[in-house]
Amino acid sequence: MNESMHIVCPQCDAINRIPSVRLSEAPNCGKCHQPLFDGHPVELTGSNFQQHVNHNDIPLLIDFWAPWCGPCKMMAPQFIQAATQLEPNMRLAKVNTEAEQMLGAQFGIRSIPTLILFHHGRELARQSGAMGMADIVRWTLSHS
């Protein structure tokens, strides 16, 4: 059986239907023709947040961060490295809580960085504090 999955494009936010067996074959978006997975976290805003949280059939790991936060800056390259390890079976994304204060408030972000793992619109797990790449990958896989 060739089950299809819905994957939201990180560039144009279009929903793509991809056969699950082809996820690892570097699929491109049917609308903008850009890669659906490029090893980098997606920047989420108030306008595209719900699209990515609710319409991806793969888990979504979001880093809630702020540009003035030292631990957030230290964790940023580790989070990018984790994306290269976890894609295409998971999407990684970032929310700048300074620019997207409503999203930070909506999810009760009290300390940053905070990682929240979502799947099909539901929060599965949450972790506050900076982590290294191996810890991010291990924590994420243990909760997905």
Side-chain angles (χ1 to χ4, degrees):
M1 185 158 129
N2 196 9
E3 183 181 324
S4 291
M5 302 183 81
H6 293 103
I7 305 295
V8 179
C9 177
Q11 279 80 22
C12 73
D13 302 321
I15 301 171
N16 291 266
R17 189 179 337 203
I18 306 292
S20 58
V21 296
R22 298 204 55 215
L23 272 183
S24 61
E25 297 175 10
N28 289 332
C29 175
K31 182 177 179 184
C32 73
H33 309 289
Q34 296 297 309
L36 290 176
F37 300 99
D38 63 3
H40 288 86
V42 179
E43 294 292 330
L44 297 182
T45 64
S47 62
N48 69 354
F49 186 87
Q50 292 301 324
Q51 180 82 336
H52 284 268
V53 169
N54 293 320
H55 297 288
N56 268 310
D57 284 338
I58 56 176
L60 175 68
L61 178 64
I62 303 175
D63 173 19
F64 288 84
W65 69 286
W68 50 262
C69 167
C72 297
K73 290 178 187 178
M74 288 180 9
M75 191 174 90
Q78 304 297 311
F79 196 70
I80 292 170
Q81 287 180 344
T84 65
Q85 297 292 312
L86 294 168
E87 286 185 352
N89 297 312
M90 184 165 307
R91 168 81 68 212
L92 276 70
K94 294 180 79 66
V95 171
N96 178 344
T97 57
E98 189 73 17
E100 303 296 334
Q101 294 180 9
M102 294 294 288
L103 288 174
Q106 178 182 349
F107 290 97
I109 303 300
R110 301 281 181 256
S111 64
I112 50 175
T114 292
L115 299 179
I116 300 180
L117 182 62
F118 291 91
H119 195 222
H120 292 125
R122 216 179 88 236
E123 182 178 327
L124 299 179
R126 176 183 296 232
Q127 175 71 40
S128 294
M131 291 191 282
M133 185 273 296
D135 292 329
I136 294 169
V137 170
R138 189 175 17 256
W139 178 85
T140 303
L141 293 176
S142 73
H143 289 92
S144 58

